[in-house]
Amino acid sequence: MCGNNMSVPLLAEAVTVSGVEKETAAVIFLHGLGDSGHGWADTLTGIRLPHVKFICPHAPPIPVTLNMKSMMPAWFDLMGLSPDSPEDESGIKKAAENIKAIIEHEARNGIPPNRIILGGFSQGGALSLYTALTCQHQLAGVVALSCWLPLHRSFPSASSGNKNLPILQCHGEMDAMIPVQFGAMTAEKLKSIVNPQMITFKTFPGLPHSSCPQA
């Protein structure tokens, strides 16, 4: 029963890139608003490691306030993209629980949480940060691209207390959607939640709200 993906809704539909050898580690990568797991699965296949499984779930379609309530794949509702915008607290927490269910499923199937990296881009990166910081397990690390920390005012008290969580934050200096200053503010906030030496914040000149091979 442990191997049954149907008990984990996001996992049943996720794009999974299997390792070519016995899988002893996993990367769970969360796409951005309006996207799907397919695009990132293609990118991650290019850096495939023999023993690593890549899991790229799809966010469900929901009405997004920021886009005039249009239905689109989103991990949670977005009301705005500034540090003081109202936030979808219940949606963020529910989404985090769904990602934690994937982590638990992988743990039951032989990949311990300390061998699982959580990553994401934009809204997916935001959810990866929130999930890892509130997860009861110590994860291998977080790769957070062009994003922010949701419900930032609830930290550090909302944190599960794993101070030695490595976090790599990458941000384009020409990002007009999530300004790099927002990323820098997030990095400073993260230093109050985990040990500051665990935080790496890299910026990329000329890069807009997208990824690049160097990242």
Side-chain angles (χ1 to χ4, degrees), residues 8 15 23 28 37 43-45 47 52-53 58 118 120 135 141 144 154 170 179 203-204 212:
V8 183
V15 184
E23 294 167 343
I28 302 168
T43 301
L44 294 169
T45 300
I47 56 170
V52 179
K53 173 198 289 191
H58 308 302
L118 203 49
C135 185
S154 67
C170 298
T203 62
F204 295 83
C212 66

Side-chain angles (χ1 to χ4, degrees), residues 130-213:
Y130 184 84
T131 303
L133 290 170
T134 58
C135 185
Q136 294 307 309
H137 299 293
Q138 171 78 52
L139 301 181
V142 181
V143 179
L145 308 180
S146 307
C147 66
W148 69 96
L149 175 61
L151 305 179
H152 60 92
R153 291 182 187 86
S154 67
F155 290 94
S157 60
S159 169
S160 57
N162 293 320
K163 293 277 191 180
N164 293 314
L165 175 69
I167 299 174
L168 171 61
Q169 246 189 297
C170 298
H171 216 111
E173 292 181 10
M174 299 298 287
D175 192 330
M177 193 169 295
I178 313 290
V180 68
Q181 293 87 346
F182 200 176
M185 289 166 59
T186 297
E188 287 306 307
K189 180 70 178 185
L190 291 172
K191 288 175 184 176
S192 73
I193 304 169
V194 301
N195 290 331
Q197 63 267 32
M198 292 286 114
I199 307 297
T200 303
F201 181 52
K202 296 179 68 174
T203 62
F204 295 83
L207 185 68
H209 191 65
S210 61
S211 62
C212 66

Side-chain angles (χ1 to χ4, degrees), residues 11-29:
L11 205 49
E13 302 285 329
V15 184
T16 301
V17 181
S18 299
V20 293
E21 297 177 9
K22 176 178 169 57
E23 294 167 343
T24 61
V27 174
I28 302 168
F29 198 91

Side-chain angles (χ1 to χ4, degrees), residues 57-77:
H58 308 302
I62 62 170
V64 176
T65 302
L66 187 65
N67 288 342
M68 299 186 298
K69 291 285 186 183
S70 297
M71 293 288 288
M72 62 182 59
W75 299 109
F76 48 86
D77 192 13

